[in-house]
Amino acid sequence: MEYFIIIIAAIFVNNVVLAQFLGICPFLGVSSKVSTSLGMGAAVTFVMAISSIVVYLLQYYVLVPLGIEYMQTIAFILVIAALVQMVEIILKKVSPALYQALGIFLPLITTNCAVLGVAILLVQKEYNLLESFVFSVSTALGFALALVLFAGLRERLELEDVPQAFRGTPIALITAGILAMAFMGFSGLV
């Protein structure tokens, strides 16, 4: 039951984008097409899943025993940067079209505050290794869900007759706010 609560809370109640407002840059930048959003969501999920394991092991088997917990932010950034480079190399070989579509936002996963925020939250919440993995994958899936929903809404809005003053970024920000308010309805679940 504890893992179920972690999953529901991470995806819906404490959605990293719509409730905690982390990862807004890729949320707004990559969410113009559903296909691109799915690719970014998959890349972030992969990075968060692997980084949760590496971060946990690094924290409890290197930083804590050596008494250098204060180095966790720098160490976590290095781990995330290395994983993003790995994802970038893999995507360039496996899916050049997705690699091109993600463009500058792929290397920006390194500085995506959602990825670093999750890594730090794992330590703060004192999760064990399995809980860390479940939390990070669930958080990444929540990020992907928000990205894909927002992209679908933006694609739909392109077909609608939106007043000239609201076209583009203004209607996107209004839509993001309404989507965030809709997710606030889940706050009574957990």
Side-chain angles (χ1 to χ4, degrees), residues 124-147:
Q124 286 179 348
K125 292 181 181 241
E126 297 180 357
Y127 284 147
N128 64 36
L129 183 58
L130 184 57
E131 289 171 338
S132 296
F133 182 77
V134 168
F135 177 75
S136 63
V137 169
S138 300
T139 300
L141 292 175
F143 177 82
L145 175 67
L147 214 62

Side-chain angles (χ1 to χ4, degrees), residues 27 53 109 131 146 153 157-158 172 175 190:
F27 176 71
I53 295 168
I109 294 174
E131 289 171 338
L153 290 170
L157 281 170
E158 286 181 13
T175 305
V190 178

Side-chain angles (χ1 to χ4, degrees), residues 3 14 23:
Y3 292 104
N14 296 317

Side-chain angles (χ1 to χ4, degrees), residues 6-28:
I6 290 172
I7 292 167
I8 296 300
I11 293 174
F12 298 109
V13 179
N14 296 317
N15 186 287
V16 72
V17 177
L18 300 174
Q20 297 177 4
F21 304 109
L22 296 173
I24 297 296
C25 178
F27 176 71
L28 293 173

Side-chain angles (χ1 to χ4, degrees), residues 106-185:
L106 188 57
L108 284 178
I109 294 174
T110 303
T111 59
N112 184 343
C113 55
V115 179
L116 180 60
V118 167
I120 292 172
L121 278 173
L122 298 174
V123 174
Q124 286 179 348
K125 292 181 181 241
E126 297 180 357
Y127 284 147
N128 64 36
L129 183 58
L130 184 57
E131 289 171 338
S132 296
F133 182 77
V134 168
F135 177 75
S136 63
V137 169
S138 300
T139 300
L141 292 175
F143 177 82
L145 175 67
L147 214 62
V148 170
L149 284 174
F150 189 54
L153 290 170
R154 286 180 77 178
E155 283 183 359
R156 173 77 182 177
L157 281 170
E158 286 181 13
L159 304 173
E160 298 299 323
D161 186 27
V162 177
Q164 182 66 34
F166 289 106
R167 288 189 186 145
T169 304
I171 195 68
L173 293 174
I174 291 168
T175 305
I178 292 170
L179 189 59
M181 288 190 314
F183 266 67
M184 288 175 65

Side-chain angles (χ1 to χ4, degrees), residues 50-77 79 116 118-129 132:
I50 302 301
S51 71
S52 69
I53 295 168
V54 175
V55 159
Y56 179 87
L57 296 173
L58 183 67
Q59 176 72 19
Y60 293 106
Y61 292 102
V62 177
L63 299 178
V64 171
L66 294 176
I68 54 172
E69 296 93 340
Y70 59 88
M71 295 290 291
Q72 77 178 185
T73 304
I74 294 170
F76 293 176
I77 289 172
V79 166
L116 180 60
V118 167
I120 292 172
L121 278 173
L122 298 174
V123 174
Q124 286 179 348
K125 292 181 181 241
E126 297 180 357
Y127 284 147
N128 64 36
L129 183 58
S132 296

